[in-house]
């Protein structure tokens, strides 16, 4: 389906018959990092990809990724996470701060940022911790991280909730000087002591300690009011309940500056999967009920929820190969995210391709302040592209993931929609679903 | 039937078969013949990650009375929190030739993981997993009820049963509610609201916050052990208030209907959920529960490990 001229003289990529999100079909020439020509019947001396039937979209942007470097490189490195990202159509990811050491200083965020540069497969934006050591007691060096080479704009203690209302207020105020945003992991800690799964019918039967919806909703309600009071920006990580959706909907109706994300797994799976006691389904926040799933899908379609974020959380095999209570929380998600969003939202008619581009690319880029990501496909735009075959059916095989960790709950699932090629800053980093070896590696 | 993990996995007929087998075993092992050769050469491992001398001893004597070899493995205090120990320990036992593993573990679902993860090939018997289930306790309780209300009953629909106490944290309650309802009994759950799980509606058992309301209607009153430490987590203010609301004291004992029995899975907190007088009264069947436990566990081992026909084995039926 694609051809390479025998000798590639020109540093350019030509996409032939590209189907855009709006339904138009064009040829796109990429020269260097940028889109240099859009037209019809273009020809090239460089790489030419026949994109007939393929959707060419702005590269996806993940606002919530756990890489494990520094500290747990056996689970994921910045390089392996970047490889997983581009195979999933992502050209940018946001590395959460809960590494070892914690990304709570300029030194650590610059380290992660440099590792991203040296991998050279996608933009890696470090997220800074809100509090020192994620301990929720004292502000981390937010200003130093913002002014570092990594230019951090998103701050989060994700994995933990900033539960102290005074610290949360201060953090929201502090980031205003550089238009930063606080991304809150909404989990009231006292209401979730030892919690294992969604509180409800299934937990009652399984005898697993319940994680009530109100533990998430109470923090969201509080923080929306706090952010509004201090006129700052709040982003809510991984919304998981119907009640959370209703609170966000109310806040947006009031014109409050809040954005929210949902993960692919919360759009598809429910707490029924815990009946297996297989901790592959153990995740924070927990999988909820079918009515929550329905509410999340509707909210993503109607704009109440702004974006999809993966919460990609790699764990080594042994951390899941045990009894439920001892297992780690989290699932990998970068390589299956698009297919799940496509299967649950686009194939079902809940949203169109333009909305998919908003939720997976342009809006996360704007929340994070990632100027060179999520751009419309236009002359002069940075060529970050995900090229999709919407009709390709594939069976998820954990052994074929690029992520170092294989903790996907979708192993064996048949999904519709596949990422075929990924272009990062003009470079073809994934071709025919495989890493090309292009990058700085 | 390969494993016994949860009452939800077995049918009413399978449960009744186990109870019938236990009754046969009781006849066979009465008098001089205490021991049957049926599981000779088979190995049963008691894998206990929690202290429970009474349950371990019960399984141990059940296995021994069927002539099985018994190995006890107590792993309490080892690095259970690290997680891999369950898998590693189970695989060690498997290598030692365990035909059945009886597991007691503080994590809900531990028995299911052992049976379904592919770590081992032995039959798994759940001897209590976290706050999930304790199926042999429910079976021995049903056996005890049957002995009092009709030894060959196949339908419990004439029985009105109360289960009282810390339902939220009780594996005994989960297994008993499931089994007694399966057998047709009307089961009412009684507890303070803090100790009734969110989501109990799906169990199909009516629940009440008031122990006294229908007290004189019950044929069976099953009291659950309450851990006093729960008051530190604000489930109730203190032991006195708990006893006043939900303890089986003499006044409540006196109101029970004629023929009603009092059960408790043990160990009892005398003076908290049950008064000494109630525990020792003529209505109490607590001691019988213990001896019936051995018979029912024999029946479970016998059925899972597929011993020869009992008629042939013992002769005296
Ligand atoms: Zn989180």
């Amino acid at each position: 389906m694609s051809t390479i001229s025998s000798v590639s003289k020109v540093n350019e990529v030509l996409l032939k018959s590209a189907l855009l999100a709006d339904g138009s079909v064009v040829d796109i020439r990429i020269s260097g990092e940028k889109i240099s020509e859009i037209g019809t019947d273009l020809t090239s001396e460089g790489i030419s990809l026949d994109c007939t039937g393929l959707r060419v979209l702005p590269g996806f942007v993940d606002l919530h990724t756990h890489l494990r470097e520094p500290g747990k490189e056996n689970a994921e490195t910045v390089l392996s996470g970047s490889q997983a990202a581009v195979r999933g159509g992502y050209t940018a990811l946001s590395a959460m701060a809960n590494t070892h050491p914690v990304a709570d200083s300029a030194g650590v965020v610059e380290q992660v940022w440099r590792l991203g540069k040296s991998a050279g497969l996608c933009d890696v934006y470090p997220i800074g911790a809100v509090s020192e050591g994620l301990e929720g007691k004292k502000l981390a060096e937010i200003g130093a991280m913002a002014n570092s080479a990594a230019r951090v704009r998103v701050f989060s203690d994700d994995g933990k909730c900033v539960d102290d209302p005074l610290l949360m207020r201060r953090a929201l105020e502090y980031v205003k000087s550089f238009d930063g945003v606080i991304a809150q992991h909404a989990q009231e800690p006292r209401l979730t002591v030892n919690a294992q799964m969604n509180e409800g019918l299934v937990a009652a039967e399984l005898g697993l300690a319940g994680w009530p919806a109100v533990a998430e909703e109470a923090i969201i309600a509080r923080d929306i009011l706090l952010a509004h009071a201090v006129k700052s920006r709040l982003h809510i990580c991984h919304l998981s309940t119907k009640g959370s959706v209703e609170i966000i909907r109310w806040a947006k109706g009031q014109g409050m500056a809040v954005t929210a994300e949902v993960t692919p797994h919360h759009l598809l799976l429910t707490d029924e999967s815990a009946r297996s006691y297989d901790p592959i389904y153990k995740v924070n926040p927990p999988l909820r009920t079918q009515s929550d799933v329905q509410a999340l899908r509707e909210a993503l379609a109607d704009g109440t929820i702004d974006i999809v974020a993966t919460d990609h959380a790699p764990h080594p095999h042994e951390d899941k190969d045990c009894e439920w209570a001892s297992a780690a929380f989290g699932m990998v998600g970068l390589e299956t995210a698009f297919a799940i969003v496509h299967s649950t939202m686009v194939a079902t008619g809940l949203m169109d391709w333009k909305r998919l581009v908003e939720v997976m690319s342009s809006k996360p880029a704007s929340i994070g302040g990632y100027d060179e990501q999520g751009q419309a496909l236009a002359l002069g735009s940075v060529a970050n592209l995900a090229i999709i075959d919407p009709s390709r059916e594939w069976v998820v095989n954990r052994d074929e993931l690029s992520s170092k960790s294989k903790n996907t709950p979708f192993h064996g699932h048949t999904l519709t929609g596949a990422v075929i090629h990924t272009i990062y800053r003009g470079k073809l980093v994934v071709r025919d679903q495989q890493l090309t070896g292009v990058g700085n590696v | 039937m390969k494993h016994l993990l949860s009452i939800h996995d077995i049918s009413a007929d399978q449960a009744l078969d186990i109870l019938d087998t236990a009754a046969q075993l009781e006849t066979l092992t009465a008098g001089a013949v205490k021991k049957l050769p049926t599981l000779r050469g088979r190995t049963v491992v008691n894998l206990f990650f929690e202290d429970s001398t009474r349950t371990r001893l019960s399984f141990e004597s059940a296995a021994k009375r069927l002539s099985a070899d018994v190995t006890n493995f107590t792993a309490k205090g080892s690095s259970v929190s690290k997680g891999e120990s369950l898998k590693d320990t189970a695989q060690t036992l498997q290598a030692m030739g365990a035909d059945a593993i009886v597991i007691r573990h503080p994590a809900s679902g531990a028995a299911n993981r052992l049976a379904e993860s592919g770590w081992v090939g032995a039959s798994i018997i759940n001897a209590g997993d976290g706050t999930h289930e304790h199926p042999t306790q429910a079976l021995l309780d049903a056996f005890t009820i049957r002995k009092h209300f009709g030894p060959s009953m196949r339908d419990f629909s004439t029985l009105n049963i109360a289960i009282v106490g810390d339902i939220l944290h009780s594996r005994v309650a989960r297994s008993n509610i499931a089994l007694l309802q399966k057998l047709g009994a009307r089961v009412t759950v009684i507890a303070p609201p803090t100790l009734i799980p969110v989501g109990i509606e799906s169990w199909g058992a009516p629940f009440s916050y008031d122990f006294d309301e229908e007290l004189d209607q019950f044929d069976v009153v099953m009291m659950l052990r309450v851990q006093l430490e729960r008051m530190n987590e604000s489930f109730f203010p203190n032991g006195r208030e708990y006893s006043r609301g939900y303890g089986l004291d003499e006044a409540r004992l006196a109101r029970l209907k004629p023929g009603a029995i009092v059960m408790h899975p043990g160990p009892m907190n005398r003076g908290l959920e049950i008064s000494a007088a109630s525990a020792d009264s003529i209505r109490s069947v607590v001691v019988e529960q213990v001896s019936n436990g051995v018979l029912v566990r024999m029946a479970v081992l016998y059925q899972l490990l597929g011993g020869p026909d009992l008629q042939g084995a013992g002769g005296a039926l």
Side-chain angles (χ1 to χ4, degrees):
Chain A
M1 91 198 292
S2 57
T3 56
I4 307 176
S5 60
S6 53
V7 183
S8 197
K9 297 173 191 127
V10 189
N11 178 24
E12 68 173 38
V13 180
L14 182 63
L15 308 179
K16 294 289 292 175
S17 307
L19 176 60
L20 305 186
D22 64 7
S24 58
V25 178
V26 293
D27 294 349
I28 299 172
R29 188 190 310 281
I30 298 159
S31 308
E33 285 205 356
K34 296 197 170 161
I35 295 176
S36 58
E37 190 177 5
I38 298 178
T40 48
D41 300 323
L42 304 185
T43 54
S44 172
E45 296 288 293
I47 299 171
S48 180
L49 297 177
D50 178 6
C51 294
T52 307
L54 303 183
R55 289 271 175 181
V56 177
L57 308 175
F60 305 140
V61 175
D62 192 18
L63 204 60
H64 191 149
T65 324
H66 294 274
L67 303 178
R68 301 300 188 194
E69 190 175 9
K72 283 194 178 164
E73 291 80 359
N74 62 324
E76 196 82 288
T77 60
V78 174
L79 174 60
S80 66
S82 298
Q83 290 171 331
V86 292
R87 285 189 70 206
Y90 284 91
T91 53
L93 51 77
S94 311
M96 273 295 175
N98 63 337
T99 47
H100 304 277
V102 171
D104 59 0
S105 67
V108 179
V109 295
E110 285 187 348
Q111 179 192 356
V112 172
W113 181 74
R114 287 204 182 88
L115 287 165
K117 287 272 176 218
S118 80
L121 290 166
C122 62
D123 286 343
V124 175
Y125 297 97
I127 290 176
V130 171
S131 69
E132 259 182 38
L134 305 178
E135 285 174 354
K137 299 211 165 66
K138 195 170 172 300
L139 276 192
E141 288 181 4
I142 287 175
M145 291 187 272
N147 292 324
S148 73
R151 274 191 81 256
V152 178
R153 290 294 176 272
V154 183
F155 293 86
S156 181
D157 274 1
D158 184 69
K160 288 183 175 175
C161 180
V162 181
D163 65 307
D164 177 348
L166 182 61
L167 186 73
M168 187 62 184
R169 177 199 164 144
R170 296 289 184 241
L172 285 163
E173 287 176 313
Y174 201 80
V175 298
K176 282 164 63 177
S177 65
F178 48 85
D179 194 28
V181 61
I182 303 296
Q184 175 69 294
H185 169 113
Q187 179 192 353
E188 214 299 314
R190 289 284 295 149
L191 290 174
T192 51
V193 175
N194 294 325
Q196 297 293 321
M197 68 171 293
N198 180 48
E199 183 172 82
L201 307 181
V202 182
E205 200 176 302
L206 297 185
L208 288 170
W211 189 306
V214 65
E216 174 173 312
E217 294 154 6
I219 293 290
I220 293 176
R222 182 199 74 175
D223 288 354
I224 283 171
L225 299 177
L226 270 176
H228 186 62
V230 303
K231 299 187 173 53
S232 187
R233 278 207 294 148
L234 172 70
H235 176 73
I236 303 295
C237 297
H238 42 53
L239 233 71
S240 73
T241 77
K242 189 178 180 177
S244 297
V245 165
E246 280 159 14
I247 294 166
I248 300 282
R249 191 170 279 141
W250 171 83
K252 288 191 165 179
Q254 304 291 308
M256 296 177 173
V258 59
T259 54
E261 72 191 30
V262 63
T263 71
H265 48 271
H266 287 107
L267 290 173
L268 184 55
L269 303 174
T270 69
D271 60 353
E272 289 290 330
S273 17
R275 289 189 187 279
S276 63
Y277 285 107
D278 184 342
I280 199 75
Y281 300 107
K282 183 175 173 179
V283 64
N284 176 351
L287 301 173
R288 304 287 187 177
T289 67
Q290 192 57 46
S291 93
D292 294 301
V293 167
Q294 202 50 44
L296 293 168
R297 289 183 183 187
E298 284 162 14
L300 183 64
D302 73 17
T304 303
I305 294 176
D306 299 86
I307 65 168
V308 171
T310 64
D311 196 6
H312 177 83
H315 291 291
H317 181 64
E318 58 270 23
D319 288 4
K320 291 287 191 181
D321 192 30
C322 55
E323 61 275 20
W324 183 284
S326 299
F329 287 99
M331 317 171 155
V332 292
L334 286 166
E335 293 167 79
T336 48
F338 164 74
I340 290 165
V341 176
H342 178 258
S343 303
T344 56
M345 301 296 299
V346 180
T348 54
L350 281 171
M351 70 188 200
D352 60 13
W353 287 96
K354 284 188 189 169
R355 179 71 188 145
L356 180 121
V357 167
E358 281 173 17
V359 304
M360 294 197 68
S361 182
S362 56
K363 187 72 182 188
S366 85
I367 293 170
Y370 308 158
D371 296 338
E372 298 191 326
Q373 293 286 341
Q375 294 179 346
L377 300 194
L379 208 59
S381 294
V382 179
N384 290 317
L385 304 172
I387 301 171
I388 303 302
D389 183 348
S391 56
R392 175 85 58 98
E393 284 200 353
W394 59 292
V395 179
V396 180
N397 179 350
R398 61 187 163 221
D399 300 319
E400 290 174 1
L401 299 179
S402 285
S403 176
K404 272 197 173 183
S405 293
K406 309 302 174 193
N407 54 306
T408 172
F410 303 111
H411 178 71
H413 285 228
T414 301
L415 301 175
T416 306
V419 176
I420 307 299
H421 316 297
T422 304
I423 294 174
Y424 166 63
R425 293 184 181 274
K427 291 182 297 190
L428 187 57
V429 289
V430 171
R431 181 172 190 166
D432 295 325
Q433 303 187 288
Q434 299 304 320
L435 297 165
T436 57
V438 175
N440 295 336
V441 286
Chain B
M1 193 158 70
K2 163 125 198 216
H3 309 294
L4 179 60
L5 308 174
S6 160
I7 292 295
H8 290 283
D9 300 339
I10 61 174
S11 66
D13 282 339
Q14 283 176 309
L16 289 166
D17 277 354
I18 292 170
L19 304 188
D20 289 342
T21 303
Q24 289 178 307
L25 287 164
E26 181 171 34
T27 314
L28 283 174
T29 56
V33 195
K34 285 261 179 207
K35 205 165 164 173
L36 298 174
T38 42
L39 295 184
R40 183 158 291 151
R42 315 298 293 275
T43 300
V44 175
V45 175
N46 289 319
L47 175 57
F48 275 55
F49 289 84
E50 263 184 1
D51 257 344
S52 176
T53 312
R54 54 172 55 218
T55 304
R56 185 180 54 74
L57 285 175
S58 180
F59 271 105
E60 188 174 346
S61 30
K64 283 183 171 163
R65 282 202 216 169
L66 293 171
S67 303
D69 297 321
V70 182
T71 306
N72 289 313
F73 193 98
T74 306
K76 194 185 178 262
S78 67
S79 57
V80 180
S81 59
K82 267 306 287 168
E84 67 271 345
S85 73
L86 173 59
K87 178 183 181 180
D88 290 344
T89 310
Q91 288 185 334
T92 304
L93 299 175
Q94 179 76 9
M96 288 160 58
D99 295 294
I101 297 175
V102 176
I103 178 174
R104 161 69 63 99
H105 198 284
S108 297
N112 298 64
R113 283 296 277 162
L114 210 47
E116 287 153 16
S117 57
W119 298 334
V120 295
S123 282
I124 307 297
I125 300 171
N126 184 2
D129 61 325
T131 55
H132 177 219
E133 283 220 34
H134 193 357
T136 59
Q137 178 72 42
L139 288 163
L140 77 87
D141 288 339
F143 184 78
T144 306
I145 291 169
R146 222 183 179 204
K147 285 185 102 173
H148 283 268
F149 295 95
S152 53
M153 272 172 89
R154 297 190 73 79
D155 176 4
F156 284 38
S157 60
T158 55
L159 296 179
N160 199 0
I161 298 174
I163 300 182
V164 188
D166 186 355
I167 309 298
L168 179 63
H169 301 100
S170 178
R171 51 196 173 207
V172 174
R174 280 177 181 73
S175 288
N176 260 304
I177 292 165
L179 179 60
L180 294 170
Q181 291 196 127
K182 213 174 269 257
L183 297 176
R186 177 180 188 273
V187 181
T188 303
V189 167
I190 299 167
T194 46
L195 294 176
I196 290 185
V198 170
I200 196 173
E201 304 79 26
S202 67
W203 296 3
F207 59 92
S208 166
Y209 309 139
D210 184 348
F211 194 6
D212 296 305
E213 193 178 0
E214 292 185 38
L215 186 59
D216 53 4
Q217 306 292 311
F218 298 120
D219 300 290
V220 177
V221 176
M222 186 180 293
M223 305 304 296
L224 299 174
R225 176 177 170 80
V226 172
Q227 291 177 299
L228 203 52
E229 308 87 77
R230 300 287 177 211
M231 73 184 183
N232 300 326
E233 301 162 64
S234 299
F235 285 104
F236 50 86
N238 56 45
R240 279 191 317 284
E241 181 155 321
Y242 183 86
S243 297
R244 270 199 301 273
Y246 301 95
L248 186 63
D249 57 15
E250 285 89 307
R252 288 194 173 111
L253 185 72
R255 286 189 53 213
L256 295 182
K257 89 185 206 191
I261 60 171
V262 172
M263 306 183 78
H264 192 297
M268 293 183 283
N269 287 308
R270 288 168 183 256
L272 185 55
E273 74 269 5
I274 189 165
S275 71
S278 301
D280 300 330
S281 80
I282 185 129
R283 295 179 180 283
S284 166
V285 299
V286 174
V287 178
E288 276 177 59
Q289 286 174 271
V290 176
S291 51
N292 292 340
V294 178
L295 293 168
V296 165
R297 285 165 181 138
M298 286 171 77
V300 168
L301 285 168
Y302 176 83
Q303 293 217 345
L304 292 189
L305 294 181
D309 191 343
L310 277 184
Q311 311 270 351
L317 268 184

